């Protein structure tokens, strides 16, 4: 199993573009421009990948008012590695059913809630598991998950999760509410090349940028020589446009050989 984790308080990448490969996943980081006033990075991520068991697990975080909430979530998920990988390696149906319950269990743990009350700031949190020809996600806040596939693009369908503002984990915490608020979902991948793309909102909210439009993101991948070059080109463009906010991108391709669902009248 390949494992990677990072939080911006460890290495902020301000004025630096950094591309890293973790198995088949490309991770791109840019801490923002110091010339625009940036001096810190409060993003974070976890990437685990197991080729033999045919899954990838990703956590993407976009914190504010300090990186402490991102650090707390990363440490908490990392401590749960054995339990989580046991779930990932269960039979497909059981694995996905357990994910909904277990992630909520982690974030409602009284010790975790107590730790959240002691930190400064809060974080958006997007968690994604891809196993076999299915993808599952759990989303708190406004991080972005796109699925690019030619059949879906014909229907103008790109975004998987619903971005939700005023929703966090940390000092202000959705899991302290009488009814915790988050979104979760599952999707069957189509036959052929499926491109999963996660990003924090520095990419989409860059001044004078157009990457809020998913079609502009996929154009960059269509026009570059490699996946790594594409991620670097995305970050290079927002650097040149003077973005202040940090951006973290996690992107990879899943090739599916089996047929996907089709309407009965075709």
């Amino acid at each position: 199993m390949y494992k990677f984790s990072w939080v911006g308080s460890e290495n902020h990448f301000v004025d630096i573009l950094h591309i890293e490969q973790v198995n088949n996943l490309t991770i791109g980081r840019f801490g923002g421009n110091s010339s625009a006033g940036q001096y810190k990075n409060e993003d974070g991520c976890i990437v685990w990948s197991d080729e033999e068991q045919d899954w990838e697990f990703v956590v993407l975080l976009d914190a504010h008012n300090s990186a402490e909430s991102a650090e707390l979530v990363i440490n908490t998920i990392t401590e749960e590695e054995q339990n989580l990988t046991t779930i990932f390696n269960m039979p497909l149906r059981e694995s996905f059913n357990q994910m909904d319950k277990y992630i909520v269990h982690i974030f409602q743990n009284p010790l975790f809630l107590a730790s959240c009350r002691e930190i400064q700031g809060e974080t958006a949190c997007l968690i994604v598991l891809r196993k076999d020809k299915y993808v599952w996600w759990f989303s708190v806040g406004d991080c972005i998950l796109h699925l690019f596939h030619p059949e879906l693009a014909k229907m103008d369908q790109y975004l998987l999760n619903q971005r939700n503002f005023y929703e966090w984990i940390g000092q202000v915490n959705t899991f302290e509410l009488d009814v915790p608020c988050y979104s979760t979902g599952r999707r069957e991948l189509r036959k052929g090349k499926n491109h999963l793309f996660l990003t924090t909102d520095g990419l989409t909210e860059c001044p004078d940028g157009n990457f809020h439009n998913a079609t502009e993101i996929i154009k960059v991948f269509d026009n570059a020589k490699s996946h790594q070059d594409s991620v670097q080109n995305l970050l290079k463009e927002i650097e040149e446009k003077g973005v202040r906010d940090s951006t973290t991108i996690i992107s990879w391709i899943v090739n599916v050989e089996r047929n996907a669902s089709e309407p009965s009248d075709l």
Side-chain angles (χ1 to χ4, degrees):
M1 185 175 89
Y2 293 80
K3 295 188 290 185
F4 172 88
S5 67
W6 161 82
V7 66
S9 54
E10 299 170 353
N11 195 336
H12 56 61
F13 296 107
V14 174
D15 297 327
I16 297 170
L17 303 178
H18 189 272
I19 307 298
E20 186 150 346
Q21 196 71 21
V22 178
N23 199 7
N24 59 322
L25 298 93
T26 302
I27 303 167
R29 290 168 288 178
F30 176 58
N33 287 292
S34 61
S35 59
Q38 185 61 285
Y39 63 95
K40 60 181 179 177
N41 187 333
E42 296 162 341
D43 288 356
C45 67
I46 294 172
V47 176
W48 299 341
S49 175
D50 191 318
E51 287 182 297
E52 184 178 341
Q53 296 291 336
D54 192 24
W55 56 255
E56 298 92 25
F57 175 74
V58 174
V59 181
L60 181 63
L61 301 156
D62 185 357
H64 69 272
N65 197 21
S66 93
E68 290 180 12
S69 54
E71 293 168 1
L72 176 60
V73 172
I74 286 173
N75 291 337
T76 301
I77 295 293
T78 300
E79 289 170 0
E80 294 284 349
E81 178 186 333
Q82 183 174 350
N83 292 331
L84 285 168
T85 53
T86 297
I87 293 172
F88 303 160
N89 294 333
M90 288 177 177
L92 195 60
R93 185 189 300 268
E94 187 176 356
S95 176
F96 277 69
N97 286 339
Q98 287 294 324
M99 282 302 295
D100 288 326
K101 300 173 186 176
Y102 200 74
I103 294 298
V104 172
H105 165 76
I106 290 172
F107 291 141
Q108 287 188 322
N109 184 300
L111 293 176
F112 178 77
L113 293 174
S115 297
C116 286
R117 298 183 199 114
E118 299 299 319
I119 62 174
Q120 178 181 335
E122 45 275 329
T123 187
C125 176
L126 174 60
I127 304 175
V128 175
L129 171 67
R130 195 286 308 175
K131 182 174 180 179
D132 197 82
K133 65 166 186 168
Y134 299 93
V135 60
W136 169 95
W137 68 90
F138 183 99
S139 181
V140 175
D142 61 350
C143 293
I144 294 163
L145 170 60
H146 286 307
L147 170 60
F148 297 117
H149 186 280
E151 292 179 4
L152 300 177
K154 291 177 182 178
M155 307 293 184
D156 294 321
Q157 181 178 326
Y158 306 100
L159 188 65
L160 280 184
N161 67 322
Q162 172 66 52
R163 297 181 71 202
N164 287 292
F165 303 99
Y166 307 106
E167 195 175 84
W168 302 280
I169 298 172
Q171 184 179 354
V172 178
N173 194 345
T174 183
F175 290 96
E176 292 278 19
L177 299 175
D178 292 334
V179 179
C181 296
Y182 56 88
S183 59
T184 185
R186 309 168 185 194
R187 186 61 44 82
E188 179 190 25
L189 301 179
R190 309 298 297 168
K191 185 176 182 179
K193 179 175 147 183
N194 294 264
H195 177 184
L196 290 163
F197 180 93
L198 290 75
T199 184
T200 57
D201 61 8
L203 179 73
T204 56
E205 297 180 4
C206 172
D208 301 318
N210 57 4
F211 293 130
H212 58 278
N213 185 340
T215 60
E216 297 300 319
I217 295 174
I218 200 61
K219 282 180 186 177
V220 174
F221 284 89
D222 290 340
N223 294 328
K225 294 181 180 178
S226 71
H227 210 77
Q228 293 88 342
D229 286 347
S230 301
V231 172
Q232 179 154 331
N233 290 343
L234 287 169
L235 295 176
K236 184 66 176 175
E237 182 165 338
I238 62 173
E239 177 191 28
E240 292 172 351
K241 291 182 182 296
V243 70
R244 174 174 177 170
D245 197 8
S246 55
T247 296
T248 302
I249 294 170
I250 304 169
S251 179
W252 74 104
I253 301 295
V254 179
N255 287 303
V256 175
E257 296 181 357
R258 287 185 288 155
N259 292 328
S261 300
E262 296 285 358
S264 58
D265 60 348
L266 286 183

